[in-house]
Amino acid sequence: MVNENRTQNGTPNATQNGTQKGSVRAVLFDVDGTLADTERDGHRVAFNAAFEESGLDWNWDVELYGDLLEITGGKERIHHYIRNYNPAELERKELDSWIASLHKIKTKHYVSLLARGGIPLRPGVERLIRELRSAKIKIAIATTTTEENVTALLKSTLGEDSLGWFDVIGAGDIVPGKKPEPDIYHWALRQLGLAAHECIAVEDSENGLRASLAAGLDTVVTVNDYTRQQNFSGASLVVSDLGEPTRPFSLLEGAAPEGGGEWVDAKLLSALKG
Ligand code: XBP
Ligand code: MG
């Protein structure tokens, strides 16, 4: 257990007025693009499999999907696609429930793709999660994706027990507003019983960063092919990935704290809180 009044090497880390300097109480992880690179070869493939199973001649290629990722939420993304690329479908009777049933088929395909071991965790993710757990720092999930998808990803990469490692899992429709709305981060902080200033978020996209910043969370961004060119102003640090001691990250924006390694660990996260 990390003693609130001492850092792990025993030096006091309280500031003059006694507030905890730089201690991170919880890390809130985004999922898609952050824990794993799930969009291009996971969700996109599952959407296309659902369209085919439903007899639709729709095909979201890599480039089009990159544009559609501007809209978070699978059901919202299908609706956006219809409005902007296939407006004739707007005439479909009970459009919303038809989209919901199409999305259910997509989720079925995505979950089975993950179960086949489809998508690995990104560099440093498992290491950081295990480190935070042993440092007794809480970990949470705050994602737009469907909870079933989170469960499938954690099971297929970290094993069944890993579901119990997370103090809070906030996903999908549990909140009314999806990223860039801050709803899911507010929800997760409430469940954690912590204030934003005690925590830090890890994200991959501009939508995600806008959501975490709006919730008052310092945020580390790990980019990927779909998000590299996006606007990450306000992020505490922008890096290629979380890195490993043997495979340092590339620092893209911001300054890694003094004395830290070139990988994201509990020490670096606390130092970022400064
Ligand atoms: C990413 C999303 C999700 C996924 C698809 O979520 O926006 O909508 O693209 O999953 P995050 P669903 O980056 O917040 O993890 O089809 O289940 O929505
Ligand atoms: Mg994401």
Side-chain angles (χ1 to χ4, degrees):
M1 183 66 188
V2 175
N3 175 337
E4 288 299 316
N5 299 311
R6 290 275 174 210
T7 55
Q8 287 172 332
N9 56 19
T11 47
N13 67 353
T15 50
Q16 300 312 324
N17 60 8
T19 52
Q20 294 308 313
K21 185 168 169 16
S23 57
V24 170
R25 303 280 304 279
V27 178
L28 291 82
F29 289 95
D30 165 57
V31 173
D32 294 306
T34 300
L35 291 188
D37 220 344
T38 53
E39 293 292 0
R40 191 192 65 190
D41 300 335
H43 288 296
R44 183 184 68 86
V45 171
F47 277 112
N48 287 332
F51 301 154
E52 189 181 351
E53 182 176 323
S54 308
L56 298 165
D57 64 353
W58 307 353
N59 180 57
W60 289 357
D61 64 21
V62 173
E63 194 187 345
L64 170 60
Y65 192 67
D67 297 338
L68 295 174
L69 275 174
E70 178 205 337
I71 305 298
T72 64
K75 294 188 289 294
E76 295 77 359
R77 192 167 302 140
I78 294 171
H79 205 283
H80 170 79
Y81 169 74
I82 289 173
R83 262 198 323 278
N84 294 279
Y85 297 81
N86 231 323
E89 293 284 357
L90 287 170
E91 305 309 313
R92 209 179 257 275
K93 244 178 24 335
E94 305 199 349
L95 181 62
D96 284 349
S97 52
W98 179 76
I99 288 175
S101 58
L102 183 56
H103 187 251
K104 269 199 172 47
I105 298 170
K106 175 264 174 182
T107 300
K108 176 195 71 177
H109 283 284
Y110 182 70
V111 167
S112 63
L113 185 151
L114 290 182
R116 296 195 297 272
I119 312 257
L121 293 178
R122 294 192 66 190
V125 168
E126 179 166 357
R127 170 189 54 75
L128 179 60
I129 286 173
R130 289 185 184 281
E131 243 179 52
L132 293 171
R133 289 188 74 232
S134 56
K136 299 285 182 281
I137 295 171
K138 290 178 187 280
I139 53 175
I141 295 262
T143 176
T144 306
T145 196
T146 307
E147 182 160 354
E148 214 176 326
N149 297 343
V150 181
T151 309
L153 180 68
L154 294 178
K155 276 187 192 165
S156 67
T157 54
L158 294 170
E160 184 87 28
D161 292 352
S162 66
L163 297 177
W165 297 355
F166 292 82
D167 299 271
V168 169
I169 294 183
D173 294 334
I174 193 118
V175 289
K178 295 198 168 154
K179 297 175 186 177
E181 298 303 320
D183 301 28
I184 196 69
Y185 280 109
H186 284 310
W187 184 90
L189 286 167
R190 264 198 315 278
Q191 302 301 317
L192 284 165
L194 293 172
H197 70 81
E198 301 175 282
C199 307
I200 199 157
V202 184
E203 269 285 353
D204 73 300
S205 68
E206 184 176 340
N207 273 333
L209 174 63
R210 284 169 51 197
S212 57
L213 292 179
L217 283 157
D218 293 330
T219 305
V220 170
V221 172
T222 56
V223 301
N224 53 64
D225 291 348
Y226 272 135
T227 67
R228 199 173 305 283
Q229 307 305 329
Q230 291 179 352
N231 175 356
F232 296 122
S233 32
S236 304
L237 200 64
V238 182
V239 288
S240 53
D241 51 65
L242 292 176
E244 296 286 13
T246 54
R247 185 191 178 285
F249 55 51
S250 309
L251 180 62
L252 304 174
E253 286 175 44
E258 283 296 303
E262 288 170 277
W263 60 91
V264 177
D265 57 8
K267 191 163 155 259
L268 180 144
L269 293 174
S270 295
L272 280 178
K273 302 277 306 163

